[in-house]
Amino acid sequence: GTGAAAGAHLGTVSAATTALRVRMSGSHSAAARRNVARASGADRSLPDEYDLAVLGAGPTGVTAAVAASQRGRRVIVIDDPGSGAKLQVGGPSGLFSKALRDVSKRIQVSTLRSMGLLDTSIWAQVQSMCKEIALVETQNTVRKLQRSGVPRIQGAAAFSRTHDDGSLEVRCRMRDGTGLLVRAHNVLVATGSSAWPAPGIPLDGRRVFDSDSINRLTYMPKSVIITGSGIIAIEFAKIFAALDSHVTLLVRGDRLDSCLERFGMDGGFAGEVEASLAASNIEILFNAEVDASSFVVPASLAAPLSVRITQKGQQEALVREACLYMLAAGRDANTAHLNLDAVGASVDGRGNLEVDSRLCTANPRVYGAGDVLGPPSLASTGVEQATAAVRAMFPAGNEELQEAMEGGGVDPTALLSDKSRFPVGIWTTPEMAYFGLSPAQAVKDGRDVVEGVAKYADTLRGHVNRCSIGSLKLVVSEDDGAILGVFIFGDEACELVHYGMELVVGARTVFDVQNTLFAAVTFHECYKNAADDAVAQLAAKSSPAFRRYEAVRMEHLRGPRCETRELRPITEYSRLTCSASRHASGVEGATVTAHTCAAVMTAVETVVGEWGARPSGLRNVPCHVLHAPSVDRPVGWSWQARGGGRGIESMLVCCVVHQQAAVQRPTHIQH
């Protein structure tokens, strides 16, 4: 029933039923249906041409299709369903891992097992919850395409030829093997990426998986071996550990810091990441690889598979058993089956589509966006690239105005190489996120920096959530105190990073963060704590940033110049000196030097009385003692005076009292 409902929502193209379920208008829709209904072995053609054909229905492709439609262009989306039923449309390739992560946090497998539930029942619930998340995303995507009037067909697309007028012909291989020809004036390649198939690994989608086929897992594994140290490997290691599986993580390198740096994270977090993995009972084997020829995979799921693991520096190999093995060692762009040569487009040595600064290939009508271009391979950057590509294809005439409103526009190539142009969120447990320059990158750029670090455990929210692991780092320039990068490992890191992004993009300083008021009991307290740590380091180094900040602060404390006049003497306190100041701005204040509490009170009443306020009002306001009275040291007092007279509605009078024998240093505190 769920599959049938999903099929109705997706508008699946099926040549077997000779029905093209596309949302079109008028005679075009009828003509398309008549055309597809012809039963013949030859390729069939859609009768009309499109302004844009989008290859791929992930976030990148859907964004491009909707954006072009909003510009009044005729668009069609061609999506390769792969093998089996496809219930997910519009979501990123990692949607399954995000859904499984969410489920693993909500289900306590050990508790369910203790209640007598079988693993088959538990996994059925896990699968149902994951499919629900995928189906909701699919329905939202299809509704978005329908509202924009964009048809979608399912077929494996490849370029066929270029027509004399420059338009492009794309052949879609339907699931029954027949072909459907689509003609478009522009094509956006957004076919995404696939898991890298390591030579010799017997991937079967049943006991031996990669990061794509793991989506088809049909049982709850009690033990898992994962090869990899990147984002996907760490994500799934934590997920399976949360599902009460014993996880062994095989890392080719000798430590985690270099692994983190490969995907942009600051290597300084390696210790915390490793501690987090250890806290989840994940076994890490460094300098380790599997022997591809050693796999022994029984036919029955009841028996474990076995594999031999070699470690650098170890003479004897380890033989490990597990319920399943997963390879998570990278991904390749989906370009091999596109027949790019037919339209003059090309790929680089890693198979990534080659584009220029406009995201255009060597063929001026073929564009690319998303994972097909290679790193950073993020859904967010793919969406940004899709928008930029559509603007390049179909200029609206006001592009300069739009770019000015958006802060100078977006250079699409920067999204491929400049990490300061996009935030990165990594959905491990807990999360990792970063934006901007790491300390190593900043030093490489010739900048002297300090690293302000705050621990989650040192915040009130961290205490409430019992966060034993987690920290936030600010990379700060010694020259001007500007925040160059933000790196976070901990709960809600993928949310917190966006405030850090605004700090970096806005060239804000740690002094700005120090003076920012944050809502109570939030993880944003980490930003202030990290800023405090950074400022302390800047002060210890007497850095240019700190010296300039102190100079500005002292100038601010001195305030504007004052006109001072002597008040009438207070005869009963001959050793009291008192003066009042009227600011050029019209704000009034007082400076009093005296011995005793009584003298201070009288002096303040005198000052306020001279200005026309009500002295009696002072006696009804509590005094806050800043320092206890002493004959050996100054004492300080403050009062709040309210009353009429010359427009004074509220005045705070601060008095610093010095022993008469001491050097006379009346302290002018401006209000």
Side-chain angles (χ1 to χ4, degrees), residues 314-330:
Q314 301 292 328
Q315 293 183 349
E316 294 187 4
L318 301 174
V319 177
R320 289 295 177 92
E321 294 183 342
C323 292
L324 69 82
Y325 170 84
M326 178 181 173
L327 174 67

Side-chain angles (χ1 to χ4, degrees), residues 397-435:
N398 60 343
E399 301 298 332
E400 293 184 0
L401 175 61
Q402 290 183 7
E403 291 182 359
M405 294 175 64
E406 295 173 4
V410 175
D411 177 5
T413 56
L415 296 173
L416 304 178
S417 59
D418 186 356
K419 291 183 174 59
S420 66
R421 298 301 299 270
F422 57 87
V424 175
I426 302 166
W427 293 91
T428 50
T429 307
E431 303 159 19
M432 301 183 211
Y434 64 87
F435 182 85

